[in-house]
Amino acid sequence: MSKKQLKKKKFFDRLLIKNRLIILNEDTFEEIFSFKLNIMSVFVSLSLGAIFLISITTVLIAFTPLREFIPGYSSSQLKRDATVLALKSDSLTTALKKNEAYIKSIQKVLNGELEYAKFSKDSILSSVDEALEPVDLSPSKKEMELRERVKEEENTNLVSPKGKNQNTKK
């Protein structure tokens, strides 16, 4: 056998050598506990204990309210409250717009800019709902120039002078 194999065999033999762990009372030297152990069983039991503790800790944090103490996790109550507040703010915003339109129309009537016969609360509120600001979605000059430049770069990068695709791997 080679030296490496002998060293490995000695190492494994040392792992399996039986040792005795004795716990004594220091004053009377009375034996309290006595265990027969080997290094391998100690290593295995410590490893299993560590895995057990890690798994129990993970389960406790994942499935209990303890996770709220970890930065980055928010409580479910906080999420519900945020949703309710967002809905309330949206409804308050629409109510505010309707009230502003109503007050502006009343001001027009009081200033004499609008006839009283045309003044109706329902028509004012419906005009607020329908009045959406038009959005211009047409591309700007800079965007058109960028599109053209990207097209030109794609055409020059993809096709070589021989007409073969440069990006394909051989």
Side-chain angles (χ1 to χ4, degrees):
M1 288 187 151
S2 69
K3 289 184 180 182
K4 282 187 179 181
Q5 289 176 345
L6 286 175
K7 285 183 181 181
K8 283 183 183 180
K9 186 170 181 169
K10 284 183 182 181
F11 176 74
F12 287 118
D13 287 343
R14 269 191 264 144
L15 287 178
L16 299 175
I17 292 175
K18 295 273 185 179
N19 295 310
R20 182 177 295 266
L21 174 67
I22 301 172
I23 299 177
L24 298 174
N25 185 351
E26 192 172 304
D27 296 333
T28 62
F29 295 109
E30 179 184 353
E31 184 177 317
I32 298 174
F33 291 116
S34 175
F35 295 107
K36 286 184 181 177
L37 302 170
N38 58 22
I39 295 173
M40 181 67 89
S41 64
V42 171
F43 176 73
V44 169
S45 61
L46 288 177
S47 299
L48 289 175
I51 291 170
F52 179 73
L53 282 175
I54 290 170
S55 61
I56 291 297
T57 305
T58 304
V59 167
L60 277 175
I61 289 174
F63 298 111
T64 62
L66 287 174
R67 70 174 170 258
E68 295 172 10
F69 293 109
I70 296 174
Y73 284 103
S74 59
S75 68
S76 56
Q77 181 65 33
L78 181 65
K79 289 179 183 178
R80 273 186 251 125
D81 291 344
T83 305
V84 168
L85 289 176
L87 292 173
K88 282 183 182 179
S89 67
D90 287 344
S91 62
L92 287 174
T93 303
T94 56
L96 180 66
K97 286 181 183 178
K98 287 180 181 182
N99 286 339
E100 286 176 353
Y102 185 67
I103 289 171
K104 284 180 184 178
S105 64
I106 288 177
Q107 286 175 346
K108 286 181 183 179
V109 169
L110 292 176
N111 291 335
E113 297 173 8
L114 187 67
E115 295 179 16
Y116 181 72
K118 292 183 180 178
F119 182 71
S120 169
K121 184 176 180 179
D122 293 333
S123 64
I124 294 169
L125 295 179
S126 66
S127 67
V128 171
D129 290 338
E130 295 173 5
L132 295 176
E133 297 177 15
V135 179
D136 184 23
L137 296 177
S138 61
S140 65
K141 290 181 182 179
K142 287 184 179 179
E143 187 177 353
M144 293 302 290
E145 291 173 3
L146 178 66
R147 287 180 183 181
E148 290 298 322
R149 205 174 338 137
V150 168
K151 265 187 193 177
E152 289 173 9
E153 287 179 6
E154 285 179 352
N155 289 338
T156 57
N157 286 340
L158 292 178
V159 180
S160 68
K162 297 178 184 177
K164 292 186 180 179
N165 192 348
Q166 290 178 346
N167 292 336
T168 58
K169 295 182 180 178
K170 296 177 183 178

